[in-house]
Amino acid sequence: MDIKAAKAKKEIKVGSEVIVINGVKGDDTLYRVVINQCFKGYIQKRDGEYHRIDGSSIHDLIFARICHFMQN
């Protein structure tokens, strides 16, 4: 894992899942999502809303929790 590429680390716990969200250096709207130490994809903030990037394997309920957490 290249630590230099990450910024603004946030960690949340949803049930038994540990979710780590890192901002991506160079893009203030892009976030890398790791669930239980397994990369699941990227989310991006566009027009005030969060969207999963194509190819992300983030479950719908987990994604909803991430969005709620990121809004606060």
Side-chain angles (χ1 to χ4, degrees), residues 1-2 4-5 11 16-17 19 21 24 30-31 34 37-39 42 44 48-51 53 55-56 61 69:
M1 180 188 300
D2 185 8
K4 291 185 242 177
E11 189 172 308
S16 64
E17 309 288 343
I19 304 165
I21 304 161
V24 174
L30 191 62
Y31 301 89
V34 175
Q37 300 179 353
C38 182
F39 175 71
Y42 292 96
Q44 187 173 39
E49 294 183 1
Y50 289 93
H51 301 272
I53 302 296
S56 294
L61 294 174
F69 175 79

Side-chain angles (χ1 to χ4, degrees), residues 4-47:
K4 291 185 242 177
K7 66 175 191 172
K9 179 180 176 181
K10 298 178 183 185
E11 189 172 308
I12 60 175
K13 186 161 171 82
V14 178
S16 64
E17 309 288 343
V18 176
I19 304 165
V20 178
I21 304 161
N22 290 310
V24 174
K25 188 174 182 179
D27 190 341
D28 291 338
T29 65
L30 191 62
Y31 301 89
R32 184 176 195 269
V33 178
V34 175
I35 301 174
N36 294 333
Q37 300 179 353
C38 182
F39 175 71
K40 293 295 184 176
Y42 292 96
I43 59 173
Q44 187 173 39
K45 186 173 185 178
R46 289 183 254 147
D47 299 323

